[in-house]
Amino acid sequence: MEFGKFSTTYSHPMDRAYGESKPGDNSTNDVGVGVKDIGMSLGLGPVPNVQAVQAKIRTGAKSFELGFMGTGKGQGQQHTPEYYGKLQRQALEEMSRASEIDFTTHATVGVMGLAGMDQQGNFSKANQKFAVDEIKRAVEFAADVARGGNIVVHTGEFQRPLSEADWNQEGEFAGKFQSYKEEPEMATFKVIDNRTGQALVEARKNRPVARPVWNRYEEGNEYFKEQDGKSYRDQKGELVKSGDYLDYMGNKIDAKDRLPKFNKETKSFDTQLMTWKAMEKEAEEMTERAKADWRKWKSGRMTGEEIKESIWSRFLKEGINENQINVKPEEAYVISSMETSASQAKGFAHYYGGDFDEHVHNLKRLRKAREFYEKLEKETDPEEKWRLQKQTAEFGDLVPPETKFPTQVLDKYINQTKRQMSYAQEGAASQWAQAREQMENIKHVESAETYAFDQGCEAYAEAGLKAMEESNKLEKQGKLKDPLFIGMENLFPESYGAHPDELINLVESSRMQMTEMLKQKGYSESQAKQEARDHIKAT
């Protein structure tokens, strides 16, 4: 047979009739591969599988991968490990020993990654537990039937645009991979709430987001013109540099307190449409702000309340180093929108609550005046009381005025003031609550990629622990053939884990997670690392 410039000839018993020699080792002429070097995959179900596997063994293959198609309770066409009881498992195990073959195990193909993603792109702990439990059941099956070896698990923690993958950004083939022609311009990124795993929004590269132009010390700002672009000291003595946020007096303020820029010509506040490029720049700035908070936290210069209030509190944790802090453009996309909503709510809160103090002051004065006139009315002779009455006009000139005692007039104004206070109180309080809620939500904005990767690695580590535990049981029983291990398998290119770099990253990070879990159980670091290497691999 001709394949390009290579010629491959395979032996056949009839070749002797044509004067060709047959290799004595029953291998192919070219690479020396025999039938015992070839494995076979067997999807379990719906036939009587013990007999079916036995029939396949007669082909002469050396290894067989037993795979499951079902999940949960399964069904006749899609078996799960629970379909195989003690006697069936024992029969398969004895068959492997008698025939001197190797079994490996493929966990259900119904699980794609262990981050807990559903078909709508949301993540949940329930979905994750369901997936991990499926893998654990496959581990138990492998322990009973194969006495060790690989348990294959399909990766695919989340879907990401091919054009935006890290490995597609540099090198000879940078930007050559894409799911569809317009993907580099129209790619979408899911952003989730890391408290619930629910998708908040899809950030789209071709959809700008409106946002205020912040008042900063930069070209176009009146303070920039006053200082001729040079840094200066503000009224508090703080050094103001290019790019710093300012209040309307030219004083430096924190990013969390930044104010919209007022345009004196248009008599309005400036806004802008943020493109994806601008979002990338915004993300870089947010990353630096997050790192500044991290350094302050790491050095012990943040109080517990400051840590709690920081919008970057998700980074202020043990086990996270400064190089790991990275705010992604899709996170900046959502955070910018939330900050705008929070600013709007704060504006309404100030509007509703701005006169509240004055209302309280007026109410106190009115009540004090009423006490005075109530006492005066009680002490005045009934025949002289009419002198205290005041004319009031409620409906303008069309209706004749009425006469009322001072206390009656004051009661009317007291009630009006109380209604104004209630309106201001409820309006301002609800808006402050909305602003507070938005700022709290910002703390939990996380890229689906970041969230799913962390959750997936944690789940693989948990599955690795199960493989280690089952291996230890077999070893104590003297039945261990090879250590059981979780073997990640890359699959669909649109899912994370398909590229070798991603697969390596998943394996290494999952091992790190497992190492930390074992250290908490009392293992030494070297022992924990070795166990993680033994029980989490790639296939």
Side-chain angles (χ1 to χ4, degrees):
M1 299 176 68
E2 295 287 339
F3 297 96
K5 65 179 180 178
F6 299 102
S7 176
T8 305
T9 305
Y10 295 96
S11 295
H12 186 276
M14 292 298 293
D15 289 341
R16 294 180 183 177
Y18 298 96
E20 294 184 11
S21 63
K22 182 180 179 183
D25 60 358
N26 294 320
S27 68
T28 55
N29 284 332
D30 51 354
V31 291
V33 176
V35 67
K36 287 191 175 183
D37 299 306
I38 298 174
M40 182 181 295
S41 292
L42 300 175
L44 296 177
V47 298
N49 285 283
V50 173
Q51 294 89 330
V53 172
Q54 193 171 29
K56 296 295 183 183
I57 290 175
R58 296 193 185 101
T59 62
K62 176 66 174 173
S63 61
F64 295 85
E65 181 186 71
L66 305 179
F68 297 99
M69 304 294 125
T71 57
K73 291 184 178 180
Q75 51 183 305
Q77 300 293 323
Q78 297 177 328
H79 286 192
T80 63
E82 285 84 353
Y83 271 60
Y84 299 87
K86 181 178 179 181
L87 293 178
Q88 285 178 301
R89 295 186 183 197
Q90 182 179 340
L92 289 168
E93 188 270 332
E94 290 175 353
M95 194 185 302
S96 72
R97 285 191 287 116
S99 304
E100 296 183 349
I101 61 165
D102 294 322
F103 282 138
T104 62
T105 308
H106 196 306
T108 176
V109 297
V111 168
M112 291 289 295
L114 301 184
M117 185 176 69
D118 62 19
Q119 293 181 344
Q120 288 72 46
N122 298 312
F123 297 86
S124 77
K125 290 293 185 181
N127 286 342
Q128 185 184 48
K129 184 179 186 304
F130 178 85
V132 173
D133 285 347
E134 289 291 340
I135 307 308
K136 287 182 177 179
R137 285 191 280 270
V139 171
E140 292 170 352
F141 177 89
D144 292 339
V145 173
R147 292 171 290 138
N150 194 4
I151 299 94
V152 177
V153 181
H154 284 164
T155 59
E157 315 315 306
F158 56 91
Q159 291 190 336
R160 46 95 180 92
L162 276 179
S163 61
E164 307 305 308
D166 291 340
W167 48 263
N168 200 18
Q169 307 307 310
E170 297 178 356
E172 182 182 355
F173 298 102
K176 299 296 184 183
F177 294 89
Q178 54 194 45
S179 299
Y180 52 93
K181 183 179 179 181
E182 297 84 2
E183 187 181 47
E185 294 78 36
M186 299 177 64
T188 62
F189 305 84
K190 284 188 181 294
V191 180
I192 57 96
D193 184 327
N194 63 19
R195 294 168 295 186
T196 63
Q198 297 298 299
L200 293 172
V201 71
E202 274 194 344
R204 296 179 177 270
K205 287 185 74 173
N206 65 340
R207 184 189 293 171
V209 58
R211 198 203 66 178
V213 175
W214 303 114
N215 194 41
R216 308 176 78 154
Y217 182 55
E218 59 187 354
E219 192 170 352
N221 188 295
E222 59 183 88
Y223 299 105
F224 193 87
K225 296 173 184 175
E226 287 176 7
Q227 304 297 329
D228 194 25
K230 298 177 181 178
S231 61
Y232 67 95
R233 296 278 178 182
D234 64 14
Q235 296 171 4
K236 299 175 293 183
E238 293 239 17
L239 180 65
V240 179
K241 299 176 291 185
S242 179
D244 287 341
Y245 294 103
L246 303 176
D247 65 14
Y248 299 124
M249 300 294 106
N251 295 309
K252 182 179 177 179
I253 56 177
D254 289 335
K256 62 182 177 64
D257 301 318
R258 56 190 179 180
L259 301 168
K261 182 180 177 183
F262 184 72
N263 191 319
K264 290 185 177 180
E265 295 180 3
T266 62
K267 305 297 181 184
S268 63
F269 292 99
D270 288 340
T271 59
Q272 63 180 333
L273 285 174
M274 296 281 287
T275 63
W276 193 257
K277 282 290 183 187
M279 281 300 168
E280 290 176 338
K281 185 176 180 181
E282 180 85 350
E284 291 174 3
E285 183 182 316
M286 288 182 177
T287 298
E288 290 307 311
R289 284 159 50 192
K291 287 182 176 181
D293 268 17
W294 182 90
R295 287 191 291 268
K296 187 177 177 183
W297 165 77
K298 196 68 175 177
S299 62
R301 291 181 291 115
M302 287 185 82
T303 65
E305 189 62 28
E306 287 175 330
I307 294 170
K308 185 179 177 181
E309 292 299 316
S310 171
I311 65 172
W312 311 116
S313 56
R314 67 186 172 102
F315 296 119
L316 310 182
K317 299 175 183 176
E318 293 295 340
I320 294 179
N321 61 54
E322 187 172 349
N323 294 331
Q324 291 175 301
I325 298 173
N326 180 36
V327 180
K328 294 179 177 293
E330 58 266 33
E331 294 170 343
Y333 180 101
V334 176
I335 290 172
S336 294
S337 297
M338 287 184 170
E339 284 181 330
T340 300
S341 297
S343 296
Q344 184 181 30
K346 288 177 183 178
F348 279 118
H350 285 301
Y351 173 77
Y352 289 128
D355 297 330
F356 189 78
D357 285 345
E358 187 177 344
H359 292 323
V360 173
H361 179 66
N362 289 340
L363 183 61
K364 289 179 180 178
R365 292 174 58 205
L366 287 168
R367 283 176 171 170
K368 190 171 183 179
R370 193 189 186 288
E371 289 175 4
F372 170 79
Y373 281 107
E374 183 180 26
K375 184 177 180 182
L376 184 63
E377 288 173 15
K378 285 180 180 178
E379 294 175 350
T380 301
D381 189 287
E383 295 181 0
E384 297 295 322
K385 260 188 182 181
W386 64 272
R387 296 180 183 275
L388 298 175
Q389 290 182 324
K390 306 290 182 182
Q391 284 191 345
T392 62
E394 295 185 19
F395 305 103
D397 298 331
L398 298 178
V399 180
E402 293 181 341
T403 57
K404 294 182 178 181
F405 287 112
T407 54
Q408 293 175 306
V409 176
L410 288 167
D411 282 342
K412 172 189 171 183
Y413 287 123
I414 286 172
N415 288 332
Q416 285 180 348
T417 303
K418 288 169 71 175
R419 282 197 299 272
Q420 290 172 335
M421 286 176 62
S422 178
Y423 175 74
Q425 175 185 341
E426 292 176 7
S430 65
Q431 292 299 321
W432 279 118
Q434 286 187 35
R436 177 66 184 245
E437 184 177 359
Q438 289 289 359
M439 296 308 292
E440 184 64 26
N441 289 340
I442 287 174
K443 300 176 190 176
H444 302 283
V445 168
E446 192 166 357
S447 163
E449 178 177 340
T450 304
Y451 178 85
F453 181 82
D454 290 342
Q455 292 295 308
C457 291
E458 182 180 322
Y460 284 119
E462 186 179 341
L465 286 176
K466 177 66 174 176
M468 183 192 78
E469 291 166 2
E470 293 297 324
S471 295
N472 292 341
K473 289 179 186 177
L474 287 172
E475 189 172 24
K476 287 180 181 179
Q477 297 167 2
K479 296 180 180 179
L480 183 65
K481 192 174 183 179
D482 294 298
L484 291 155
F485 67 90
I486 303 301
M488 300 185 204
E489 182 175 36
N490 53 347
L491 200 60
F492 300 116
E494 64 272 17
S495 296
Y496 187 89
H499 190 275
D501 288 351
E502 296 170 344
L503 189 64
I504 291 169
N505 199 16
L506 275 172
V507 170
E508 291 182 341
S509 297
S510 298
R511 285 176 174 177
M512 288 173 61
Q513 288 268 22
M514 184 173 168
T515 298
E516 291 303 313
M517 290 177 179
L518 288 173
K519 284 166 65 177
Q520 292 176 10
K521 292 176 178 286
Y523 284 68
S524 68
E525 183 160 357
S526 60
Q527 186 182 9
K529 285 183 176 180
Q530 186 59 54
E531 293 287 0
R533 283 195 296 268
D534 288 344
H535 300 289
I536 298 178
K537 302 182 182 183
T539 185

